[in-house]
Amino acid sequence: MEQMVARAQNLTGATGAIIEFVEGDEMVYQAASGVAADKIGLRLALHGSLSGLAVKSGATLVCEDSETDDRVDRAACRTVGLRSMVVTPLRDGQQIIGVLKILSGQPGSFAARDVANLQILVESLGAVIQRKRATDRLTEQATLLDKAQDAILVRCLEHRILFWNRSAERLYGWTREEAVGRSVRELHYRDTAAFDQAMAITLEKGEWVGEIEQLTKTGAKVTVEGHWTVVRDDAGKPKSILAINTDITERKKLEQQFLRAQRMESIGTLAGGIAHDLNNLLVPIMMSVGLLRQTGPGENAEPILVNIERSARRGAELVKQVLSFARGVEGARVTIQPIHIIREVEGIVQNTFPKNITCVLKLPLDIWTIQGDPTQINQVLMNLCVNARDAMAGGGRLTVSASNVEIDEQYGVMNRGVAAGRYVVLEVSDEGCGMPQEVVDRVFEPFFTTKDLGKGTGLGLSTVIGIVRSHGGFVNVYSEVGEGSAFKVYLPALSDSVTSESGPPVAESLPRGKGEMIMVVDDEVSILSITRQTLEAFGYRVVTAEDGAQAISVYALHRDEIALVLTDMMMPIMDGPALVTALRRINPRVRIIAASGLNAEGHSGRATVAGVRHFLAKPYSAEVMLTLIRKVLTESLTRPPF
């Protein structure tokens, strides 16, 4: 810039030349030639100066004589001996970033030719400044990227490395000079299947986030959590991939150690049942051996040998199941049919749980497949079953089921932002003591337990939520004191899963309302909002209330219009069962649908006693809600409507 300022002074024969940059509401001296060289870095007010006017107007301004021009500071000009000047805006692209000023000690020193030459010079200077700023920005960005703890690399669409920061050098071992220009497929992978799958998702969706194994320069394996993003050109076409890779190798090792330790804890809780069953298997073996000794070989020996063989085989299968669970190898993500894992867990439960606990399976034939670690999914179900067993000290029914669900926007909002899509639901429910809401809110906290000292570490359910989240899923818990608990595990289904269903229903095929008014009662504002939007979109009028007490007031105002009440069962101030009772006193024929976190098979006893016959299990989809509402509204009036 100093050379350009000197050139401007020489080209116009000026006494001096100055460059000033705009910084906020000030003009700052950046370079000078001839005069005012001692004022570099001096800050002046942007407003009320010829420089400020040039910045605002974007035009070249000429002061013929400072003694007669009100746009300049006469006293300041007298101090430095200046009488005339020309001020031309400097641009970085379309943005005005400062001015170039030429100065003279004589009035009227600059002709039109000087002004034209100055404008040509300013265009060249703007291009120089633009290149310098771009270079400075790139240098600054590269410096920041080198200071980042994550490995950051940019690669072209042919996978060749364009940028490689210092953390990438530390993680992988190759220097920047060694890595740039080489293919990441060659550097990081022997088997590129996982990389190709991740890249396909990156290009299709614009980004990919997940875990992947890579190789270092020494051939060692590292596990990274990658965040890969498509970088596009000005036309919106993909031109490169920005990859930010975090080394999680040690974290994965710790997670594996934790999961093994937690599995061994589960084995410990099952030890009593295992010992009991093994003893039962050993008794016939030992008795049969005694009989053989007495009778010797002969026709009577065959049934005894069959009994020995059967008992020994059962014992071996039991031990094999336990060892398989205890020694499982984590980390392998494969295609899983959940029904197979549920049946494995059923075998352990039947062989180790107390005989007063009945295990019931509900397994449709068309369950979708998932991608995951079989041992970890087994561990999730085993932990939930152990939890259910402990909740049923006096025995009861433990139900394990699987189902397919399509999550829509309504469902997603009720689950606080869960992504829409296809999921497989694995549910473990019990008929045990149940939990109050304050316990439900904390069940997944590490080391939180309501069990007696020595009977639980509080790690089982925290392990469950950790495994499920690592598989891209989520868990919903429903419980009522004295009515049991249900844990629903949602795992993303593979996109190529085969099912006999034709797919999710289109909006046009869902049942619509005919202007009926529905009252929705729920203490969750987000649920009220999405339910109102859905119902109104399908032809209903809607009024809402956030608790039972408010609902009674709203119902009293609109009693003659409200065709149906959809209410949650667990609310503050006045809960659902109490609201149902109050509404029936106002109108014995009121139609009510109860929304409950537990299914209707005995878990919502108070509401059933109050006369509610229709239930929605939370969270519910728009399809399920609209179908049930239409069904209730069209029921025969000869039946009790509530």
Side-chain angles (χ1 to χ4, degrees):
M1 281 192 291
E2 287 76 8
Q3 293 178 347
M4 297 296 283
V5 173
R7 186 179 175 187
Q9 179 187 354
N10 296 333
L11 186 65
T12 57
T15 305
I18 298 172
I19 289 178
E20 298 172 352
F21 279 170
V22 179
E23 291 189 12
D25 292 332
E26 297 176 324
M27 300 294 295
V28 182
Y29 282 81
Q30 293 291 322
S33 175
V35 298
D38 60 330
K39 299 188 182 299
I40 302 302
L42 179 66
R43 293 177 177 271
L44 303 172
L46 176 64
H47 304 292
S49 67
L50 200 61
S51 297
L53 292 174
V55 169
K56 291 180 180 179
S57 65
T60 297
L61 302 179
V62 179
C63 170
E64 296 288 351
D65 190 346
S66 61
E67 292 296 327
T68 59
D69 196 326
D70 294 334
R71 299 174 298 173
V72 300
D73 187 336
R74 292 194 185 109
C77 289
R78 289 178 190 142
T79 301
V80 296
L82 297 179
R83 292 292 296 274
S84 59
M85 66 185 74
V86 179
V87 183
T88 301
L90 286 173
R91 286 180 169 83
D92 181 357
Q94 298 298 317
Q95 181 184 8
I96 296 177
I97 60 171
V99 297
L100 171 61
K101 296 197 297 189
I102 53 174
L103 314 167
S104 174
Q106 301 297 322
S109 295
F110 303 111
R113 181 187 61 189
D114 296 322
V115 175
N117 289 337
L118 187 64
Q119 288 176 329
I120 295 172
L121 186 62
V122 161
E123 290 182 7
S124 301
L125 182 57
V128 171
I129 292 173
Q130 193 170 0
R131 285 196 299 271
K132 183 178 185 304
R133 286 195 161 193
T135 302
D136 290 344
R137 282 195 295 268
L138 289 174
T139 302
E140 181 181 0
Q141 290 171 359
T143 302
L144 291 174
L145 292 176
D146 277 339
K147 291 181 179 179
Q149 295 301 308
D150 296 327
I152 301 176
L153 49 148
V154 177
R155 59 180 185 263
C156 67
L157 298 183
E158 288 74 37
H159 313 308
R160 298 201 173 277
I161 296 168
L162 306 175
F163 176 80
W164 184 266
N165 77 337
R166 298 294 181 193
S167 290
E169 292 183 349
R170 290 191 292 269
L171 174 58
Y172 300 114
W174 288 283
T175 64
R176 182 173 300 174
E177 292 73 19
E178 292 173 324
V180 171
R182 296 181 64 181
S183 170
V184 292
R185 291 168 61 91
E186 299 172 3
L187 289 182
H188 293 322
Y189 308 98
R190 289 196 185 98
D191 182 357
T192 61
F195 171 77
D196 293 337
Q197 183 180 13
M199 274 301 303
I201 296 173
T202 305
L203 294 173
E204 178 186 354
K205 298 184 177 181
E207 67 172 359
W208 172 82
V209 178
E211 298 176 7
I212 193 168
E213 272 196 355
Q214 297 179 329
L215 298 176
T216 66
K217 186 177 181 180
T218 62
K221 290 183 179 180
V222 292
T223 304
V224 300
E225 187 174 72
H227 191 154
W228 302 352
T229 306
V230 174
V231 179
R232 302 181 184 277
D233 59 20
D234 294 339
K237 296 181 179 179
K239 67 174 183 178
S240 59
I241 305 294
L242 169 65
I244 302 175
N245 296 334
T246 305
D247 184 7
I248 60 171
T249 307
E250 291 303 317
R251 190 183 83 190
K252 294 297 291 182
K253 289 179 181 178
L254 290 174
E255 285 179 359
Q256 291 173 5
Q257 292 171 5
F258 170 77
L259 291 175
R260 290 193 188 101
Q262 201 282 322
R263 277 203 305 275
M264 295 312 298
E265 179 197 338
S266 297
I267 291 295
T269 64
L270 300 174
I274 294 171
H276 176 77
D277 256 39
L278 284 176
N279 283 333
N280 286 343
L281 295 171
L282 290 172
V283 167
I285 293 175
M286 291 186 293
M287 291 180 64
S288 299
V289 170
L291 282 173
L292 282 176
R293 283 177 177 169
Q294 292 177 10
T295 62
E299 294 182 2
N300 295 331
E302 184 61 26
I304 299 174
L305 291 172
V306 170
N307 193 16
I308 291 175
E309 183 183 17
R310 183 188 304 115
S311 298
R313 187 180 296 113
R314 283 189 60 207
E317 289 176 354
L318 175 61
V319 172
K320 182 180 178 181
Q321 284 178 327
V322 173
L323 290 179
S324 174
F325 178 63
R327 295 175 179 172
V329 178
E330 303 90 344
R333 297 293 176 93
V334 296
T335 300
I336 299 171
Q337 173 46 255
I339 290 178
H340 301 327
I341 294 180
I342 292 174
R343 294 200 182 280
E344 289 178 6
V345 171
E346 177 197 22
I348 296 178
V349 168
Q350 289 181 339
N351 285 321
T352 61
F353 279 23
K355 300 307 177 187
N356 61 355
I357 292 180
T358 304
C359 183
V360 178
L361 300 187
K362 295 183 179 180
L363 304 176
L365 297 178
D366 59 350
I367 294 300
W368 296 328
T369 55
I370 61 175
Q371 186 86 10
D373 179 346
T375 299
Q376 291 186 358
I377 301 301
N378 187 306
Q379 188 168 359
V380 166
L381 290 174
M382 200 65 245
N383 284 352
L384 293 177
C385 287
V386 169
N387 199 63
R389 181 205 66 180
D390 293 343
M392 296 188 290
R397 184 172 60 175
L398 188 161
T399 304
V400 183
S401 63
S403 59
N404 302 326
V405 298
E406 294 268 0
I407 288 185
D408 58 11
E409 182 184 1
Q410 165 102 16
Y411 203 109
V413 169
M414 295 180 73
N415 279 277
R416 293 173 174 81
V418 168
R422 291 151 47 102
Y423 289 79
V424 172
V425 184
L426 307 180
E427 180 177 355
V428 177
S429 59
D430 62 68
E431 298 176 334
C433 57
M435 298 176 286
Q437 188 58 43
E438 57 268 21
V439 173
V440 172
D441 292 339
R442 299 187 61 192
V443 288
F444 294 117
E445 293 180 13
F447 306 108
F448 173 77
T449 180
T450 58
K451 298 176 183 178
D452 295 336
L453 186 63
K455 293 187 177 181
T457 62
L459 294 176
L461 291 180
S462 65
T463 302
V464 167
I465 196 69
I467 292 174
V468 173
R469 285 175 177 169
S470 74
H471 283 72
F474 60 97
V475 183
N476 281 337
V477 186
Y478 315 107
S479 189
E480 294 179 14
V481 176
E483 299 294 338
S485 302
F487 288 78
K488 292 186 178 181
V489 176
Y490 292 74
L491 297 170
L494 289 177
S495 58
D496 57 351
S497 293
V498 178
T499 176
S500 59
E501 296 176 3
S502 60
V506 295
E508 290 77 5
S509 67
L510 294 178
R512 300 185 61 85
K514 302 175 182 178
E516 300 97 327
M517 179 178 286
I518 309 294
M519 182 169 80
V520 183
V521 188
D522 203 298
D523 59 320
E524 287 284 346
V525 176
S526 60
I527 294 178
L528 283 181
S529 176
I530 189 65
T531 304
R532 172 194 282 273
Q533 293 171 10
T534 303
L535 290 173
E536 289 179 344
F538 281 85
Y540 294 98
R541 294 178 295 146
V542 181
V543 291
T544 61
E546 296 182 12
D547 57 62
Q550 184 182 3
I552 292 174
S553 300
V554 174
Y555 188 82
L557 288 174
H558 302 278
R559 172 180 174 177
D560 295 335
E561 297 178 85
I562 294 175
L564 181 144
V565 177
L566 170 58
T567 179
D568 187 25
M569 287 288 99
M570 298 182 66
M571 297 180 293
I573 304 177
M574 177 185 286
D575 63 9
L579 172 61
V580 170
T581 302
L583 291 177
R584 289 191 61 199
R585 288 176 181 169
I586 298 174
N587 179 10
R589 299 186 62 81
V590 61
R591 299 180 185 274
I592 298 175
I593 296 177
S596 173
L598 296 169
N599 59 39
E601 297 179 8
H603 292 299
S604 301
R606 290 178 60 201
T608 304
V609 170
V612 176
R613 201 171 61 243
H614 303 287
F615 290 89
L616 278 175
K618 277 188 168 184
Y620 45 81
S621 66
E623 176 200 3
V624 171
M625 177 186 69
L626 291 167
T627 301
L628 182 58
I629 288 176
R630 180 46 46 195
K631 174 186 174 184
V632 174
L633 290 176
T634 55
E635 282 181 339
S636 172
L637 294 178
T638 60
R639 298 179 60 188
F642 43 78

